[in-house]
Amino acid sequence: MDFAEERKAAIQAVCNACRLCVKIQGELVSEDTITKKDRSPVTVADYSAQALIIKQLTEKFDYPFIAEESGDALSKEPEVLNKVFQHVSDEFPNLFNEGEEGKIELVHAIESGHKKNQDTELWWTLDPIDGTMGFLRRGQYAVALCLLQDNEPILGVLGCPSFPVDWNDQEGPKGVILAAVKGQGAFQYTIDEAEESLGVEGGKKISTSNVSNIEECILTESFVKSHGNQSLTSKILNELNAQAEPIRIDSQCKYSLIARGDVSLYLRLSSLSYQEKIWDHGAGVIIVTEAGGCVSDYSGNPLDFSAGHKLINNTGICCTSSPEIHEAVIQAIAKVDHIQVLSSNI
């Protein structure tokens, strides 16, 4: 299978979700909500994007979803449910029925993605908004969709509404879609391009950085300090003698930076007890891999998507622009002894 139809439908669904999220962000996020640290706007956008994507894709493919949000939880928040239904219905009036029947359908669509385990050959994982704080501060966030076959990512789409088309031109156009299918390379589109061609034509083939000197590698890591361990990362970078100032952003947009060649290294490990969620990495993994990069845990093992919602068999995320850089970083991690460093911080 070349997954051409799945790719086309996935790009369309993510484009639609990006448009919806931008609209909700524009209407609900304000200086007041930012000052008060009000998370309700991203809650509405999260549920809206998940309902939209699951509904659109399950109408075309009989593949189940494992997604972040719970429909049962939404049904217990009638005020939020009303807002979600209103936003989705305004933009996509024929997606659900009107009135209470439509709300029930919307909740069911969201809850259908709240599966516990992978039990089919083909299945989707979805993070409707990856980068909660980025969304709320009008920074970086991503709509992250991945199709897996036999528990391995084979198709990924990242919708990044605030991401610069060119990272070196921060004031220039923003809003990109990155897409990849196993064995077919990775591509970037502006959101307008992706909607016009549905990812079938056009776009720009992307590849990771060709920087071979580890000392020249630029790191990307989480904007939120609690999502990583900057002290441990500094020790690893010192071992590599990499001195460049890191780029700190939210969400799977960090994978986008690697895949486009903007940076060469992404490290993530907050604590030994934290287990990464599968939807936080599936799309990024296949896109980076198809662009020429490598992704593993801190021991150099592939990420294991077969054990439910979490990557319980992996510790840490090591994403690099090439196999050579990856080998050097894994060796540095071993020398630093990340387990001992983190254990001593407990």
Side-chain angles (χ1 to χ4, degrees):
M1 294 178 65
D2 64 4
F3 296 100
E5 290 303 310
E6 286 87 348
R7 183 180 191 272
K8 177 179 176 180
I11 290 174
Q12 180 67 76
V14 170
C15 279
N16 290 341
C18 286
R19 296 286 193 196
L20 183 58
C21 288
V22 169
K23 181 174 182 292
I24 293 171
Q25 186 186 51
E27 293 180 6
L28 299 185
V29 174
S30 65
E31 293 305 318
D32 190 49
T33 60
I34 293 173
T35 301
K36 293 180 179 179
K37 299 182 179 179
D38 178 3
R39 297 169 68 96
S40 61
V42 77
T43 301
V44 173
D46 250 327
Y47 283 126
S48 299
Q50 182 161 320
L52 172 64
I53 289 175
I54 290 180
K55 178 68 171 175
Q56 289 188 333
L57 290 181
T58 53
E59 286 180 347
K60 298 178 180 179
F61 309 104
D62 189 25
Y63 311 151
F65 271 81
I66 295 182
E68 184 175 30
E69 304 303 331
S70 162
D72 287 348
L74 176 59
S75 67
K76 296 171 185 175
E77 299 184 75
E79 185 176 343
V80 176
L81 174 56
N82 288 338
K83 289 181 180 179
V84 171
F85 185 70
Q86 189 64 55
H87 279 287
V88 174
S89 298
D90 284 350
E91 291 300 304
F92 303 93
N94 299 318
L95 195 62
F96 298 103
N97 283 314
E98 297 180 358
E100 293 304 311
E101 183 180 354
K103 292 178 185 177
I104 292 171
E105 292 173 351
L106 182 145
V107 168
H108 176 74
I110 293 172
E111 183 60 25
S112 71
H114 208 235
K115 285 172 58 64
K116 302 297 183 187
N117 294 292
Q118 305 87 327
D119 55 10
T120 60
E121 177 191 1
L122 288 162
W123 54 278
W124 304 97
T125 189
L126 168 68
D127 192 342
I129 291 187
D130 183 29
T132 296
M133 300 310 297
F135 180 91
L136 292 172
R137 72 170 78 88
R138 298 197 185 97
Q140 297 304 326
Y141 66 97
V143 178
L145 177 65
C146 179
L147 180 65
L148 298 95
Q149 183 175 40
D150 297 326
N151 301 322
E152 292 187 6
I154 57 164
L155 185 161
V157 180
L158 283 176
C160 310
S162 301
F163 205 66
V165 174
D166 179 350
W167 187 257
N168 294 318
D169 183 11
Q170 292 289 315
E171 302 304 316
K174 293 180 173 63
V176 301
I177 299 288
L178 277 71
V181 175
K182 186 175 181 180
Q184 298 179 29
F187 295 82
Q188 174 179 286
Y189 311 83
T190 66
I191 289 178
D192 288 338
E193 284 175 339
E195 284 187 321
E196 290 170 4
S197 68
L198 300 182
V200 177
E201 299 173 352
K204 173 187 175 185
K205 189 167 187 178
I206 56 175
S207 59
T208 55
S209 170
N210 59 8
V211 170
S212 58
N213 185 348
I214 192 72
E215 296 180 11
E216 298 176 4
C217 287
I218 300 174
L219 167 81
T220 183
E221 61 181 348
S222 296
F223 186 93
V224 180
K225 286 186 177 181
S226 62
H227 291 176
N229 187 300
Q230 293 181 5
S231 174
L232 172 60
T233 300
S234 293
K235 292 179 185 294
I236 295 169
L237 293 179
N238 286 338
E239 186 67 37
L240 295 166
N241 199 29
Q243 305 297 326
E245 187 68 22
I247 295 175
R248 296 188 173 107
I249 60 173
D250 298 288
S251 81
Q252 285 187 64
C253 288
K254 292 183 283 294
Y255 282 114
S256 299
L257 285 174
I258 293 279
R260 298 196 319 185
D262 297 309
V263 303
S264 300
L265 178 60
Y266 164 35
L267 296 173
R268 177 182 172 99
L269 178 57
S270 56
S271 71
L272 295 176
S273 61
Y274 182 75
Q275 294 174 329
E276 298 285 343
K277 310 294 194 308
I278 60 173
W279 47 72
D280 286 332
H281 299 284
V285 167
I286 183 63
I287 290 170
V288 164
T289 302
E290 284 300 308
C294 297
V295 186
S296 75
D297 64 14
Y298 269 31
S299 297
N301 299 315
L303 302 189
D304 181 0
F305 292 88
S306 69
H309 286 190
K310 298 180 179 181
L311 299 172
I312 63 173
N313 296 318
N314 301 107
T315 299
I317 304 294
C318 175
C319 176
T320 67
S321 56
S322 70
E324 294 75 22
I325 297 292
H326 190 264
E327 182 178 355
V329 175
I330 292 297
Q331 289 176 358
I333 291 172
K335 287 181 181 179
V336 167
D337 193 349
H338 65 281
I339 294 177
Q340 195 227 354
V341 170
L342 290 177
S343 296
S344 66
N345 291 337
I346 296 175

